[in-house]
């Protein structure tokens, strides 16, 4: 199909259901990095899962708001697993955007009083007895392998 300027017309991008409250303004800054509506929606669900208070560690089922083991095969858990493990998006571009946003905001940029540290730790795991083991990036070994990942944050200053 040709557009008015004689070039190919692009299909209009379908809007993504918004994330709750101020999270949408943050998540929307990543939209150009995701090619599909499903990726944009799953990114918002992932961020929401990271930020919501949970009664247990932020495993994949907890991020999706599901019960471990019993609901491990629930649709929300499987969609999140596919998004994080198999969906084709550029993790380096997402990380670069994340860092640019952190460094560009005075509330989270390093300054003379300290720095916000966000760390992901991946541990290699084998077998099927540990929940949420999947092929994913494990920073501790510098490659994709079977394992589980945890993300933590802390404030570092001259005292800590």
């Amino acid at each position: 199909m040709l557009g008015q300027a004689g070039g190919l017309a692009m299909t209009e991008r379908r809007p993504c259901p918004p994330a709750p409250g101020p999270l949408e303004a943050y998540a929307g800054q990543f939209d150009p990095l995701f090619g599909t509506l499903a990726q944009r929606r799953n990114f918002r669900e992932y961020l929401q899962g990271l930020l919501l208070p949970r009664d247990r560690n932020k495993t994949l089922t907890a991020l999706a708001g599901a019960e471990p083991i019993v609901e491990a095969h629930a649709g929300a858990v499987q969609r999140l697993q596919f998004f994080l493990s198999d969906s084709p998006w550029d993790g380096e571009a997402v990380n670069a955007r994340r860092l640019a946003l952190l460094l560009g905001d005075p509330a989270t940029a390093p300054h003379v009083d300290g720095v916000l540290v966000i760390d992901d730790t991946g541990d290699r795991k084998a077998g099927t007895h540990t929940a949420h083991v999947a092929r994913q990036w494990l920073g501790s070994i510098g490659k994709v392998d079977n394992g589980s990942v945890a993300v933590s944050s802390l404030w570092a200053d001259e005292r800590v």
Side-chain angles (χ1 to χ4, degrees):
M1 181 169 133
L2 292 179
Q4 290 181 353
L8 291 177
M10 295 186 66
T11 303
E12 187 173 328
R13 203 168 184 165
R14 292 177 26 202
C16 185
L23 184 57
E24 178 57 30
Y26 179 76
Q29 296 178 78
F30 292 83
D31 282 355
L33 304 177
F34 297 110
T36 68
L37 173 60
Q39 289 173 332
R40 295 190 312 273
R41 184 177 52 243
N42 286 324
F43 180 70
R44 284 162 171 76
E45 290 174 8
Y46 175 65
L47 291 177
Q48 186 176 344
L50 289 173
L51 294 172
L52 286 173
R54 300 289 192 208
D55 293 336
R56 60 186 194 283
N57 291 338
K58 299 288 180 99
T59 62
L60 188 63
T61 51
L63 291 175
E67 289 299 317
I69 301 175
V70 177
E71 294 182 299
H73 295 290
V77 177
Q78 294 302 306
R79 282 190 304 274
L80 192 55
Q81 177 67 49
F82 177 80
F83 170 70
L84 294 172
S85 300
D86 298 317
S87 181
W89 47 273
D90 186 345
E92 289 181 21
V94 170
N95 193 45
R97 175 74 46 92
R98 177 187 65 84
L99 290 173
L101 293 170
L102 280 170
L103 295 174
D105 185 335
T108 53
H111 50 74
V112 36
D113 293 326
V115 63
L116 174 66
V117 178
I118 300 174
D119 179 51
D120 65 323
T121 302
D123 293 316
R124 190 180 287 180
K125 301 285 183 188
T128 59
H129 291 90
T130 303
H132 314 296
V133 170
R135 290 195 57 78
Q136 54 194 320
W137 176 261
L138 303 175
S140 61
I141 61 171
K143 66 179 187 174
V144 173
D145 201 354
N146 276 348
S148 59
V149 176
V151 178
S152 60
S153 62
L154 61 99
W155 179 258
D157 60 27
E158 61 188 28
R159 295 170 295 143
V160 179

